[in-house]
């Protein structure tokens, strides 16, 4: 029963929290750039408007896929907090990302296509990390569910410092922050003209926004895995990490995808792989 | 106020402007004018945009482009002519390759005068465009 | 014009370290010397503070050789010359096929186009009787 | 039971022989369809009569064992003779040499009487793994044969020179199926070896079907690599011949192998690795891609390579905990990783499918090598899921190839707009390969969980391989999906392409697509009734509960995933969209997917997938993997040879 | 190659975050115009003698000065505020002020503004050109 | 062999002005690029037929809204040369001050656009924030932020009072102190180096052969600056200030950025020295009254922020010029840009296009 309640709460609150965080992100970004910036509720106004606006559809396939993106993104978070097997959720998470790739790629337009390909590369760059991260968490705690990890006496962050470090790196990619916002960007001057969402309009963009809010919430949940002795501490750590991402976002240029892929694999291999190896060697 | 008034996303197209008005449009985004205060995002993509800001006049070649951009914007949408050239052809109205203001091609809702149009005027124009956007949404609803 | 000798001179400029500064065309309206109009074409080269020009008068229908062999950056000037003035240029290495400007008025700087515009503004009598030489009308009364 | 098994072996062989002489197309179609029906019914009957416990049996009636022995020897001699003849005719002496060596071993054993008499009641072994393989061979195999009826008609239009050989093609398909049935049911190693070599020979003939210089080269490569494995098999028989009960597969694999039989197990594993196209033997399967698509489908999904992993899975309890097991595991997982890298740089669709097959089999091999109940559970599941999904994909690609005259996936642009039905079938197959919660993803997930318990650095290494390999899998399948799912404004005539696909092809593909969904939906049942009991029996210990996700969740997820294409199809009835309304920097787009281009031209918008140029060098990774795995195998074989000496 | 971890812009980002924004909050705060700024050309009918000099010299042809009907107009949407007219006017009837010219709506423009071309105002064709398998 | 076709432009957010590039890609490597311009062609050279030479300056300074001051100045210089007008000293120095201010403004604007092209939004914002200081100076001294209309044949229309000049120098010093930090970002930021270093390398020989000018040529190690060579616009003033052009050697995108960064610093210093050197005092003449009509032709070069601009003017003794030809720096730099785009990555295209600091409206007129 408790699981059902937590799942329902997540499904309801995650977009709210994600939206507020996105709004705070925009305000802080503006302030870092010396501007006033939009009101805190701006992301909600944007989504509200997008839902009211006409949608020009280029093909009939994109919208179902985008709804799939939203649904699976919400589901993967819900599965985690709802007590499903952690390692299984990573595949649902990947499926959600894939839906977005396919929605963009289903339009045979050069910019959407390039965005889709880059998002696929982003998936390739981050997926190994998420698999290894969850495997490491499971290995360190001996648990296989969110509840199990929280109940474990092992302090995950202490056991997995390398993985946590790598998480910070990979989160930059997943949060679409500079220097790793290669597949989509809210910055106006971008060679891909938003890439993934180039050919979406109206409510179709709203689905992408909502899904991203769920994704942000899921990343927050992932951080609480590391701070399994105190969920509030985990959330605070996530906020701190997010603030750091915003700072880096405002202090770097956008990298090329080749660098994103190479560096993310290197970080995954060295920090996550190294930590995992240590875990296995010390386990006996 | 509906969501439209709080989230007007703009698309800027340079018809055949001298860059003067273009850079003033861009300057509106930068810290000293910061139109993001009004929820404005410079989208660069007609499919995301609510307001089309056009600088520069119409010539033979950009008729087609302007038409495509306008058509690709989902309803409701508003066109703002920024600067003398976009409003009327300005000083270049008599040049052989200039057909005149963009209202030759698109239904212009707001005219922003000036050569170059000042950022304050452009902000005025956007604010007025938001009101037009709101009226159009109500009319459609 | 003697195309071969001209290209040799241009090649000498390239060899001696000059750079191309401008290829300029000026339309000459029909007059006594040039009943169909003509073009004054000049090629300007610079080396440091030095500046030298090659000038040719080209009659309609006459072709000008491209100098893009010696100065690869020349193609833009030459395409422009052909598109705006109607001066035929032979052997451009990057031929833009008349798609550089795609003006509404074809060849807007041809003597006849200029003449038509001048007539439309009333600055030129439609009969077109005016003095020799550079061709443009002498100042009419600007009361 | 035993009657059915003998029927399953003998009937296809007989039909095959019959088809070799039937020249009339209509008659052939009738024979093939009828024979397929019989095989499928017999397969189901065999499955239904499975007594829920491993069964051993001999030949029905009183066939004297001596007759069997001489039959085996005769068959071996016949096979060797055939290899010698073709090998000499094409001046490829390596194959004949190995075939003669095998014949020599068999003959020596037989003539010197060193071969222990097999237990007449234990010639055949039918347990749950056999059940799985029999179902795959007996259901997927016929589907491929039916598909081939339509496919080969069109294929001959593309390759007119092969016209006369259609007869032998269908005959070979059935002989292949018969040999496979024999292979998966045999318990006596010399008997198994005959079927083993028979499949090698069938694949040789099928790969070289077009008889161009190129395909003959590939056919010989396949022959030689598999004969090398077969030679290992022969040597293993030689080593085991002296051991009491050593040639009884069930006894050999009843538990961890002692040091006396371990070298033989290693050599048997070598045979399995060669047949399942693991590195360094992967190149034969890639070469086999040049054969007609039914051949590819057959080799990849239900026969040839499945025989390899079948043997490895059989050997898993024997290899467990030994260095042989570790070596096999590393070969499998390294192969998985290396070919996944290679696949992302490949644009020939069939080659991508081939890499994916090798990768999946690598995973099975790895699982077999790790040798714990959980990994064997995973391995068997992969075999099942892979067989249905991959056969479907090969058949669909075959159909596409005959319609579009290309295997280049870059030419599949706008497939959804051009061939809607085929796209849905392709989507189903691709989804089966890598989308949660279809079987292969369940299997990968379970493998990761199982590897978590592998102690020491190996566990970490396996997990790294899984993490990177799985991500690469997502990348190359994702690219293919992008092509299949893409829409574009196409010319009207392109939308009639589908109309010419034969009903044989539709029938086979639809059935397999249904099977993909069915096994995904039934994964809980399959696990509970087949795979888990098998793993328990093989290791005398039950695997940990593997499906921690409640089957209900998987079912719901499956429904959600399946809802996507349904929604998409439903949505495609809408008319409020415009395929030319894409963003083209303000340029005018028009039908035929053309836009205004530079310099006043119009330009067709073409889109090309990314191949990670400059980041991943597929050939280099493939070569490196081949080299490393070759060294590992040298160690493996070295052990066997040292003990022989 | 610079240090990959040193991000020199971080200082500016942090400093900005904790300082007030540089934004001039137009329209709630309106900055006074610079004294010599060229804003609007103002016309005083009472002193004008309709000499037409301004109209002839205006490079943008924004002035219509009709001597016969005693009418005078400046098209503010065409005016480039170069100041030539004010400079040449002997009577001081034209004056350059620092005031910004007002933004106009469609209805405020003489003639109501042109409607643009008909074809662009139509909705996009509802035909799925080569729709997915509609054939 | 199938390739991706990316239609970049005419409307593309990376391109501030309409410019068409058909990019043919493999992965994201540009294997071919077909450019087209011509969307901003107005035909303003032909406006000499309808606008008298006295007002033609207003048209010329609207060739481009970024280097507007130099365009107005160049037109006046050409006419002054034809008509043999001597410009008062103070006016010449004032023109130099405005020209350098315009260079700072233009470079800051460009540095911002360039930063946005490689995805550094904050840097864009910051450069444009600094640029507003220049615009305020311009508006206070000329009456216009963008289009200044302060030149006239024979001199300038407005004087800047000496205290105001001192204030400008002080303001620029403050700007320079702030800019030092920004310059350090351009010089040392690793993410900028990743995007710009060794990207779009134009060797000196190619730069020369393709006729590159301005910062584009100077970044490739060519000491080419019209302020130095022709002396047309300054009549020796720059020499008096000890001017030496900024030259970088690498020829890549980063070098082109750094040339402009250094020129901002240089121009701040040039303004300071010019204010020091110029004749001071109230009521000094700033313009020579011009009478009559021009007759004859001239060929004039001067250094705009983007490089060498060429004016060819032919007058025939009427109030209407016979021919005006403006060859802007971008026109000269486009061949080099086209060469650089081939073989780069899609993500490099904006950087390469922008580092020539393209001004298409200049180019097409």
């Amino acid at each position: 029963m408790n699981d059902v309640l937590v799942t329902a709460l997540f499904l309801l609150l995650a977009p709210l929290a994600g939206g507020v965080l996105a709004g705070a992100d925009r305000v802080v970004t503006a302030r870092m750039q010396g501007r006033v910036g939009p009101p805190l509720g701006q992301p909600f106004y944007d989504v509200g408007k997008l839902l009211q606006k006409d949608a020009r559809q280029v093909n009939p396939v994109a919208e179902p896929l985008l709804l799939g993106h939203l649904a699976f993104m919400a589901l993967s978070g819900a599965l985690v907090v709802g007590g499903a097997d952690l390692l299984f959720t990573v595949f649902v998470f990947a499926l959600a990302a894939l839906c977005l790739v396919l929605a963009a790629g289903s339009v045979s337009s050069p910019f959407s296509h390039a965005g889709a390909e880059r998002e696929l590369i982003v998936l390739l760059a981050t997926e190994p990390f998420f698999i290894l991260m969850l495997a490491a968490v499971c290995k360190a705690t001996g648990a296989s569910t969110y509840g199990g990890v929280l109940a474990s006496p092992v302090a995950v962050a202490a056991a997995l410092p390398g993985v946590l470090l790598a998480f910070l790196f990979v989160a930059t990619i997943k949060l679409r922050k500079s220097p790793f916002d290669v597949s989509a960007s809210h910055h106006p001057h971008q060679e891909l003209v938003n890439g993934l969402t180039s050919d979406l309009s109206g409510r179709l963009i709203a689905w992408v926004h909502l899904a991203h809010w769920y994704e942000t919430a899921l990343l927050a949940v992932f951080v609480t895995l590391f701070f399994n002795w105190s969920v509030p501490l985990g959330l605070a750590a996530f906020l701190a990490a997010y603030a750091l991402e915003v700072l880096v976002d405002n202090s770097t240029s956008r990298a090329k995808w080749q660098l994103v892929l190479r560096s993310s694999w290197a970080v995954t291999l060295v920090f996550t792989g190294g930590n995992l190896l240590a875990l296995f060697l010390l386990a006996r | 106020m509906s969501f439209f008034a709080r989230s007007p996303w703009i698309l800027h197209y340079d018809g055949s402007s001298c860059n003067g008005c273009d850079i003033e449009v861009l300057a509106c985004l930068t810290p000293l004018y910061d139109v993001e205060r009004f929820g404005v995002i410079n989208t660069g993509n007609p499919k995301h945009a609510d307001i089309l800001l056009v600088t520069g006049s119409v010539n033979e070649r950009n008729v087609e482009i302007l038409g495509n951009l306008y058509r690709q914007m989902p309803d409701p949408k508003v066109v703002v002519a920024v600067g003398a050239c976009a409003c009327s052809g300005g000083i270049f109205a008599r040049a052989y390759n200039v057909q005149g203001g963009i209202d030759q091609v698109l239904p212009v809702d707001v005219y922003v005068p000036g050569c170059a149009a000042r950022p304050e005027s452009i902000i005025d124009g956007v604010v007025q465009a938001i009101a037009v956007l709101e009226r159009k949404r109500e009319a459609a609803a | 014009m003697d195309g071969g000798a001209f290209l040799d001179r241009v090649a000498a400029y390239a060899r001696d370290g000059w750079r191309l500064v401008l290829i300029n065309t000026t339309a000459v309206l029909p007059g006594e010397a040039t009943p169909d109009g003509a073009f004054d074409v000049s090629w300007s080269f610079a080396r440091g503070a030095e500046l030298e020009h090659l000038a040719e008068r080209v009659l309609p229908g006459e072709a000008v050789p491209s100098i893009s062999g010696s100065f690869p950056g020349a193609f833009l000037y030459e395409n422009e010359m052909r598109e705006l003035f109607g001066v035929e240029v032979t052997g451009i290495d990057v031929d833009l096929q008349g798609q550089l400007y795609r003006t509404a008025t074809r060849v807007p700087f041809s003597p006849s186009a200029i003449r038509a515009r001048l007539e439309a503004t009333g600055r030129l009598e439609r009969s077109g009787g005016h003095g020799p030489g550079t061709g443009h009308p002498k100042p009419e009364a600007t009361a | 039971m035993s009657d059915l098994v003998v029927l399953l072996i003998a009937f296809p062989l007989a039909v095959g022989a019959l088809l070799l002489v039937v020249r009339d197309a209509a008659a052939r179609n009738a024979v093939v369809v009828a024979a397929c029906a019989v095989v499928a019914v017999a397969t189901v009957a065999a499955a239904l009569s499975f007594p829920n416990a491993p069964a051993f049996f001999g030949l029905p009636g009183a066939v004297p064992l001596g007759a069997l022995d001489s039959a085996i020897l005769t068959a071996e001699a016949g096979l060797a003779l055939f290899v010698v003849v073709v090998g000499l005719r094409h001046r490829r002496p390596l194959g004949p040499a190995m075939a003669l060596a095998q014949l020599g071993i068999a003959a020596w054993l037989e003539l010197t009487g060193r071969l222990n008499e097999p237990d007449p009641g234990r010639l055949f072994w039918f347990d749950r793994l056999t059940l799985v393989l029999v179902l795959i061979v007996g259901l997927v195999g016929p589907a491929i044969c039916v598909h081939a009826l339509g496919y080969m008609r069109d294929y001959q239009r593309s390759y007119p020179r092969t016209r006369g050989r259609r007869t032998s093609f269908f005959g070979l398909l059935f002989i292949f199926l018969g040999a496979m049935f024999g292979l998966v049911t045999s318990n006596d190693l010399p008997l198994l070896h005959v079927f083993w070599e028979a499949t090698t020979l069938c694949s040789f003939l099928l790969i070289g079907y077009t008889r161009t210089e190129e395909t003959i080269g590939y056919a010989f490569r396949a022959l030689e690599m598999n004969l090398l494995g077969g030679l290992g098999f022969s040597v293993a028989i030689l080593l085991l011949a002296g051991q009491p009960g050593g040639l009884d597969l069930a006894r050999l694999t009843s538990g961890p192998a002692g040091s006396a039989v371990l070298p033989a197990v290693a050599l048997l594993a070598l045979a399995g690795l060669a047949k399942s196209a693991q590195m360094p033997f992967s190149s034969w399967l890639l070469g086999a891609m040049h054969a007609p698509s039914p051949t590819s489908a057959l080799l990849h999904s239900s026969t040839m390579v499945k025989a390899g992993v079948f043997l490895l899975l059989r050997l898993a309890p024997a290899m467990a905990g030994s260095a042989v097991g570790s070596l096999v595991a590393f070969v499998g997982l390294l192969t998985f990783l290396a070919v996944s890298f290679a696949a992302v740089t490949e644009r020939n669709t069939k080659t991508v499918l081939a890499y994916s097959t090798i990768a999946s089999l690598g995973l099975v091999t790895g699982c077999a090598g790790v040798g714990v109940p959980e990994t064997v559970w995973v391995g068997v599941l992969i075999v099942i899921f892979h067989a249905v999904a991959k056969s479907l994909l090969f058949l669909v690609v075959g159909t596409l190839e005959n319609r579009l005259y290309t295997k280049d996936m870059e030419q599949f642009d706008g497939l959804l707009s051009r061939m809607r039905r085929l796209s849905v079938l392709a989507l189903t197959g691709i989804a089966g390969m890598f989308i949660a919660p279809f079987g292969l993803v369940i299997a990968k997930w379970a493998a990761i969980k199982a590897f978590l318990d592998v102690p020491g650095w190996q566990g970490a290494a396996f997990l790294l391989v899984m993490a990177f390999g799985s991500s690469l899998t997502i990348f190359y399948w994702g690219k293919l999906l992008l092509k299949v799912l893409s829409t574009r404004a196409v010319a009207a005539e392109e939308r009639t392409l589908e109309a010419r696909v034969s009903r044989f092809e539709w029938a086979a593909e639809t059935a397999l697509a249904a099977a993909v969904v069915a096994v995904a939906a039934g994964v809980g049942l399959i696990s509970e009734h087949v795979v888990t009991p098998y793993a328990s029996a093989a290791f005398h210990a039950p695997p940990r509960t593997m499906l921690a996700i409640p089957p209900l969740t998987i079912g719901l997820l499956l429904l959600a995933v399946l809802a996507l294409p349904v929604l998409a199809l439903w949505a495609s009835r809408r008319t409020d969209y415009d395929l030319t309304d894409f963003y083209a920097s303000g340029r005018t787009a028009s039908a035929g997917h053309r836009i205004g281009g530079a310099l006043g031209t119009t330009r067709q918008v073409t889109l090309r997938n990314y191949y990670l140029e400059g980041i991943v060098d597929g050939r280099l990774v493939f070569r490196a993997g081949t080299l490393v795995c070759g060294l590992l195998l040298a160690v493996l074989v070295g052990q066997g040879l040292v003990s022989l000496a | 190659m610079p240090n990959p971890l040193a991000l020199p812009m971080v200082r500016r980002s942090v400093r900005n975050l904790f300082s007030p924004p540089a934004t001039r909050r137009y329209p709630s705060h309106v900055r006074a115009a610079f004294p010599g700024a060229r804003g609007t050309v103002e016309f005083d009918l009472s002193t004008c003698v309709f000499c037409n000099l301004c109209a002839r010299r205006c490079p943008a042809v924004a002035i219509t000065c009709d001597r016969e009907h005693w009418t005078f107009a400046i098209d503010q949407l065409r005016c480039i505020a170069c100041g030539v007219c004010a400079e040449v006017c002997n009577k001081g009837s034209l004056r350059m002020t620092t005031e910004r010219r007002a933004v106009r709506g469609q209805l405020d423009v003489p003639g109501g503004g042109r409607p643009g071309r008909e074809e662009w105002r139509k909705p996009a064709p509802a035909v799925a050109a080569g729709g997915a398998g509609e054939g | 062999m199938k390739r991706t076709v990316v239609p970049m432009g005419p409307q593309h957010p990376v391109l501030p002005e309409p410019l068409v590039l058909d990019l043919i890609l493999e992965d994201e490597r540009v294997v071919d690029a077909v450019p087209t311009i011509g969307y901003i062609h107005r035909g303003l050279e032909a406006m000499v037929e309808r606008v008298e030479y006295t007002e033609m300056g207003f048209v010329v300074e609207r060739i481009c809204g970024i280097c507007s001051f130099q365009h107005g100045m160049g037109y006046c210089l050409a006419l002054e040369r034809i008509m043999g007008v001597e410009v008062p000293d103070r006016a010449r120095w004032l023109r130099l001050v405005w020209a350098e201010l315009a260079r700072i403004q233009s470079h800051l604007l460009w540095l911002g656009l360039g930063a946005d092209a490689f995805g550094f939004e904050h840097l864009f914002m910051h450069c444009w924030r600094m640029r507003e200081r220049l615009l305020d100076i311009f508006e206070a001294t000329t009456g216009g932020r963008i289009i200044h209309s302060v030149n006239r044949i024979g001199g300038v229309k407005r004087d800047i009072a000496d205290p105001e000049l001192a204030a400008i120098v002080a303001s620029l010093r403050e700007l320079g102190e702030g800019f030092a930090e920004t310059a350090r970002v351009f010089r040392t930021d690793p993410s900028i180096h990743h995007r710009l270093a060794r990207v779009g390398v134009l060797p000196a020989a190619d730069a020369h052969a393709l006729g590159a000018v301005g910062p584009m040529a100077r970044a490739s190690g060519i000491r080419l600056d019209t302020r130095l060579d022709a002396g047309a616009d300054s009549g020796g003033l720059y020499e008096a200030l000890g001017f030496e052009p900024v030259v970088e050697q690498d020829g890549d995108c980063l070098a082109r950025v750094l040339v402009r960064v250094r020129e901002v610093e240089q121009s701040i210093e040039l303004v300071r020295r010019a204010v020091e050197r110029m004749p001071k005092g109230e009521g000094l003449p700033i313009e020579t009254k011009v009478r009559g009509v021009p007759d004859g032709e001239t060929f004039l070069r001067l250094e705009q922020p983007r490089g060498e601009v060429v004016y060819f003017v032919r007058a025939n003794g009427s109030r209407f010029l016979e021919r005006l030809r403006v060859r802007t720096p971008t026109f000269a730099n486009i061949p080099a840009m086209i060469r650089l785009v081939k073989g780069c990555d899609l993500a490099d295209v904006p950087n390469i296009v922008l580092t020539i600091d393209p001004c298409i409206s200049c180019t097409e007129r």
Side-chain angles (χ1 to χ4, degrees), chain A residues 155-178:
Chain A
V156 177
L160 302 174
V163 182
L164 189 56
L165 210 62
F167 181 88
L168 213 55
F169 188 90
V170 172
T172 320
I173 305 176
K174 274 288 171 189
L175 289 171
R176 308 197 188 295
K177 291 290 180 201
S178 188

Side-chain angles (χ1 to χ4, degrees), chain A residues 56-61 63-65 68 72 75 79 85 87-88 91-92 94-95 98-99 101-102 105-111 113-114 117 120-121 123-124 127-128 131-132 135 138-139 144 193 198-199 257-258 261-262 265 268-269 273 276-277 280-281 284, chain D residues 341 416 434-436 441-442 445 448-449 451-452 454 456-457 459-460 463-464 467-468 470-472 474-475 478-479 481-482 485-488 549 553 557 560-561 564 567-568 571-572 574 576-579 581-583 585 593 605 607-610 612 614-615:
Chain A
R56 292 180 70 89
Q57 308 235 20
V58 185
N59 71 20
V61 198
E63 191 167 16
L65 285 166
F72 289 123
L75 186 66
L79 281 176
D85 188 281
L87 276 164
F88 187 73
F91 291 103
V92 184
L95 174 61
L98 190 73
C99 280
V101 171
L102 296 178
S106 69
V107 185
S108 292
S109 125
F111 296 99
H113 176 261
E117 294 280 342
L120 208 49
I121 285 167
L123 197 58
L124 180 59
E127 184 69 6
I131 292 176
L132 290 174
C138 292
K139 180 76 182 172
S144 62
V193 201
S198 284
D199 286 289
W257 65 260
Q258 291 92 336
L261 183 59
R262 284 205 184 101
W265 273 5
T268 302
L269 204 59
L276 199 67
L277 185 64
F280 269 84
L281 290 179
R284 50 185 72 207
Chain D
F341 268 107
L416 195 60
F434 87 114
I435 283 183
V441 173
I442 299 277
W445 161 65
I448 294 174
K449 285 186 79 74
F451 291 158
L452 273 177
V454 174
W457 64 274
L463 283 174
L464 279 172
F468 283 92
S470 302
S471 311
L472 289 163
I474 293 177
F475 187 73
K479 283 198 299 184
L481 265 186
L482 277 182
L485 258 180
S486 67
T487 56
R488 57 168 52 207
I549 301 280
T553 311
L557 203 55
V561 171
L564 285 183
L567 266 176
S572 71
R574 296 175 7 179
D576 61 339
Y577 65 94
D578 178 358
L579 289 168
D581 190 30
F582 59 89
Y583 175 71
S585 298
H593 235 66
V605 176
L607 304 170
R608 176 182 177 274
N609 274 326
Y610 290 9
L612 300 188
I615 304 250

Side-chain angles (χ1 to χ4, degrees), chain D residues 481-503:
Chain D
L481 265 186
L482 277 182
K483 288 292 172 191
V484 175
L485 258 180
S486 67
T487 56
R488 57 168 52 207
V490 291
E493 67 270 16
E494 280 199 274
R495 276 180 274 148
T496 60
L497 281 174
E498 247 182 13
R500 282 179 283 144
V501 176
S502 79
R503 63 201 150 85

Side-chain angles (χ1 to χ4, degrees), chain D residues 356-372:
Chain D
S356 146
T357 296
I358 301 173
S360 298
L361 298 174
L363 216 47
V364 180
T365 306
C367 287
V370 170
V372 292

